[in-house]
Amino acid sequence: MPAPRRRKLRNRVEAAIAGLGFGLILAASSSATAEEVTLKAAVFVPPTTTYGIPFKRFVDRINETGKGVLQIRIVGGPEAVPADGQAQAVKSGVLDIAAIPPAYYKSAMVEGDAQILTDMTVAELRKSGAYAALNQIAVQRLNSFYLTTYGMGVPFHLYVAKEMPISKPEDLKGLRFRGQPNYNAVFKHYGIAGVNIAAPEVYTALERGVAQGYGWPLWGINDFGWDKLTKMRIDPGFYSVVNNVLINKSKYDALTGEQRKVIDDAVAWFDVDNEKYTAETTKAALEAQAKEGIKVVDFGPQFKKTAVDLYWDDLKKLSPDTVGKLQALLTK
């Protein structure tokens, strides 16, 4: 074959190979872009219980809108990863996401518990700068940040298992109540004896009189059947339920823009939709407790103020400067 024809053929072959290579690169790029990512998540309670359901709603939204782009798989509740280890699991990357109250990572971020002392909504916390301030601490201590929060506006209460002549806080002195660390300041102030009982064992403790009452938020006393043994609820409620959805920052930063958008859009939806869900669930809880015959005893607004002030004081002793700054951002 004459040299000119050989050069021409070689050029065509090289051009074809180059074109094929470019096509393969495009295909690989397209495949990589379209590859769906699945994140691992856990929640501090079983996903089908009162405080697990809102997180599942958030995850369902992501899985519905993120098909082919990003999905979240809930590996379980505390039976899969112990509740008090979930924040650490997110920090280390064992989990990508977890929904947990700040009490469960208080040893690493004591300032997080200040969030339960506000009456502000999530939208108001974002606007005031409180959410950004909390996230700055979370990134430093937990290599994580808050995507969203649920439970806010749901108050903590005291419940009594038997009808008693109770009309004021001082009448609680000497009673044995099951609580959790958040209640310690209130128990101590009013002379209530706190007893350490795991949630699944509270029903039997109330039944046998080991505990005469308990501290728990407005939602969820029916999860364990406690409503059947409860005769009185002390109003007003105090503090606010806070369940933060943490995501590992390194993982989030490594996602593509399209994948992050799935999460960010779900957060925007959840922040709005969850306010309606919270109002409806609170109404249902109040109606269910009334139907169960639970009597309401109102201690007046000072009871709530005292509880909140006591816990601010406790937190300030542990982290004076930071908690003081957070209080200004968390107060209307």
Side-chain angles (χ1 to χ4, degrees):
M1 181 183 296
R5 289 185 61 188
R6 284 201 304 271
R7 284 197 299 272
K8 187 175 182 180
L9 180 61
R10 184 172 64 250
N11 290 341
R12 288 174 60 189
V13 170
E14 288 175 351
I17 291 173
L20 178 61
F22 183 67
L24 289 173
I25 290 170
L26 283 178
S29 174
S30 174
S31 174
T33 302
E35 186 177 355
E36 185 179 86
V37 169
T38 299
L39 304 182
K40 301 185 299 296
V43 58
F44 76 107
V45 291
T48 55
T49 57
T50 298
Y51 294 103
I53 291 170
F55 179 59
K56 189 174 184 306
R57 293 178 69 248
F58 174 68
V59 169
D60 287 347
R61 176 73 176 192
I62 285 178
N63 290 345
E64 177 186 345
T65 60
K67 290 176 182 176
V69 180
L70 182 137
Q71 299 283 283
I72 295 177
R73 179 173 65 89
I74 301 178
V75 299
E79 78 289 345
V81 182
D84 59 1
Q86 289 182 9
Q88 181 61 38
V90 174
K91 178 181 180 179
S92 66
V94 172
L95 289 173
D96 300 310
I97 296 174
I100 39 178
Y104 283 100
Y105 50 89
K106 188 175 178 180
S107 61
M109 185 179 161
V110 66
E111 300 86 353
D113 238 13
Q115 199 178 354
I116 75 170
L117 300 176
T118 185
D119 288 326
M120 297 166 74
T121 65
V122 174
E124 289 171 334
L125 293 182
R126 292 191 192 279
K127 187 175 181 180
S128 77
Y131 220 73
L134 288 165
N135 266 335
Q136 186 176 13
I137 302 169
V139 168
Q140 292 171 352
R141 310 268 184 85
L142 301 170
N143 185 35
S144 310
F145 66 93
Y146 299 173
L147 287 173
T148 187
T149 301
Y150 63 90
M152 304 215 51
V154 180
F156 286 59
H157 285 273
L158 298 180
Y159 298 88
V160 185
K162 292 183 179 180
E163 287 268 6
M164 295 182 183
I166 294 174
S167 61
K168 57 187 183 301
E170 291 72 22
D171 294 333
L172 301 173
K173 186 175 182 179
L175 296 182
R176 298 182 304 277
F177 273 47
R178 185 270 182 190
Q180 53 201 57
N182 296 20
Y183 284 92
N184 288 348
V186 173
F187 284 5
K188 182 179 179 181
H189 185 76
Y190 291 113
I192 300 168
V195 289
N196 187 20
I197 305 170
E201 299 168 11
V202 171
Y203 186 95
T204 302
L206 295 172
E207 201 173 35
R208 295 178 179 175
V210 174
Q212 295 159 298
Y214 57 94
W216 198 260
L218 180 66
W219 296 3
I221 65 172
N222 57 309
D223 280 353
F224 304 96
W226 301 346
D227 53 330
K228 306 299 182 186
L229 299 176
T230 302
K231 299 299 182 185
M232 305 168 73
R233 183 185 76 237
I234 306 300
D235 278 6
F238 51 93
Y239 307 161
S240 174
V241 170
V242 171
N243 297 307
N244 289 316
V245 180
L246 275 68
I247 185 167
N248 178 282
K249 186 178 185 301
S250 302
K251 186 70 174 185
Y252 179 85
D253 290 346
L255 297 174
T256 66
E258 185 182 20
Q259 290 160 351
R260 288 195 297 269
K261 188 175 186 303
V262 171
I263 295 175
D264 296 345
D265 287 351
V267 166
W269 168 84
F270 187 79
D271 278 0
V272 175
D273 188 78
N274 192 58
E275 286 194 25
K276 180 183 176 184
Y277 176 86
T278 298
E280 291 173 348
T281 307
T282 293
K283 182 174 181 288
L286 289 169
E287 290 173 351
Q289 291 186 20
K291 186 177 180 181
E292 202 61 50
I294 297 174
K295 177 184 174 183
V296 176
V297 178
D298 194 338
F299 282 176
Q302 185 59 40
F303 179 67
K304 175 181 177 178
K305 184 179 185 306
T306 298
V308 171
D309 288 348
L310 286 169
Y311 203 40
W312 273 123
D313 289 344
D314 273 8
L315 291 177
K316 285 176 183 176
K317 291 173 187 174
L318 298 171
S319 180
D321 294 339
T322 307
V323 170
K325 291 175 184 175
L326 282 171
Q327 185 174 13
L329 298 173
L330 291 165
T331 303
K332 287 186 179 181

